[in-house]
Amino acid sequence: MGSFIPFSDEEPFVKRVKSLADDELLEIWEETQQIESLLCTEFQTDLSFAPDYEKVIVQELRLRSCRKLRAPEPGE
């Protein structure tokens, strides 16, 4: 399911996302959603497992998308 990428424990998640590929970010987001859903079902509660992770991932993906849109086409 997930892959292990060695990070320094002191490195904030906000910096970690910069070095991950888009598919890795989406995989982390998907896994946190699955864990959150399982925990909510198990404990019959409305639990927010990692809203900060989701926010950081979405912001990073938006930033990357904007950069791609602004990048000149090859040959221009």
Side-chain angles (χ1 to χ4, degrees):
M1 189 180 231
S3 60
F4 175 74
I5 300 174
F7 289 118
S8 166
D9 286 341
E10 293 84 36
E11 187 176 21
F13 185 71
V14 173
K15 288 188 177 183
R16 291 180 189 185
V17 298
K18 305 282 185 207
S19 64
L20 297 172
D22 292 355
D23 60 330
E24 291 173 313
L25 290 174
L26 291 170
E27 184 177 321
I28 291 169
W29 177 81
E30 180 182 12
E31 289 174 359
T32 58
Q33 295 299 307
Q34 290 173 355
I35 292 168
E36 184 176 305
S37 177
L38 288 171
L39 290 174
C40 287
T41 301
E42 181 69 27
F43 295 111
Q44 298 178 347
T45 184
D46 188 20
L47 177 68
S48 184
F49 178 67
D52 292 336
Y53 288 129
E54 182 175 350
K55 180 181 173 183
V56 169
I57 290 170
V58 169
Q59 286 177 339
E60 179 64 23
L61 290 171
R62 281 184 182 156
L63 176 65
R64 292 178 185 187
S65 177
C66 289
R67 285 181 182 158
K68 287 177 186 175
L69 290 173
R70 292 181 52 191
E73 291 292 323
E76 285 186 18

